């Protein structure tokens, strides 16, 4: 059984982390939720989380593929 804070990510960390870690970018402040904010900071600091993050280059490549496919479907 995986435990929060272990070397591997738990299902809860993956599901909640994908939303919570992006809230400040939207921007939604976690200031009123200090424990959640601390959890988020610990999560994104973990090597296992960092390894799961998409690089800027990979994201740009993905966006390029999607844009090309959209042009193909709108041009048909």
């Amino acid at each position: 059984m995986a435990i929060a804070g272990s070397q591997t990510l738990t299902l809860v960390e993956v599901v909640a982390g994908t939303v919570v870690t992006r809230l400040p970018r939207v921007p939604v402040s976690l200031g009123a939720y200090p424990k959640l904010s601390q959890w988020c900071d610990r999560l994104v600091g973990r090597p296992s989380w960092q390894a799961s993050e998409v690089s800027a280059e990979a994201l740009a490549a993905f966006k390029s593929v999607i844009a090309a496919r959209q042009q193909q479907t709108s041009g048909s």
Side-chain angles (χ1 to χ4, degrees), residues 4-21:
S6 69
Q7 290 187 0
T8 59
L9 296 171
T10 65
L11 181 59
V12 170
E13 291 168 326
V14 171
V15 173
T18 56
V19 175
V20 174
T21 59

Side-chain angles (χ1 to χ4, degrees), residues 45-75:
R46 289 176 49 197
S48 53
W49 182 264
Q50 293 169 5
S52 72
E53 286 286 272
V54 176
S55 70
E57 295 82 16
L59 184 58
F62 176 74
K63 287 180 179 181
S64 177
V65 168
I66 296 300
R69 288 184 182 173
Q70 287 176 334
Q71 287 180 344
Q72 287 176 346
T73 59
S74 66

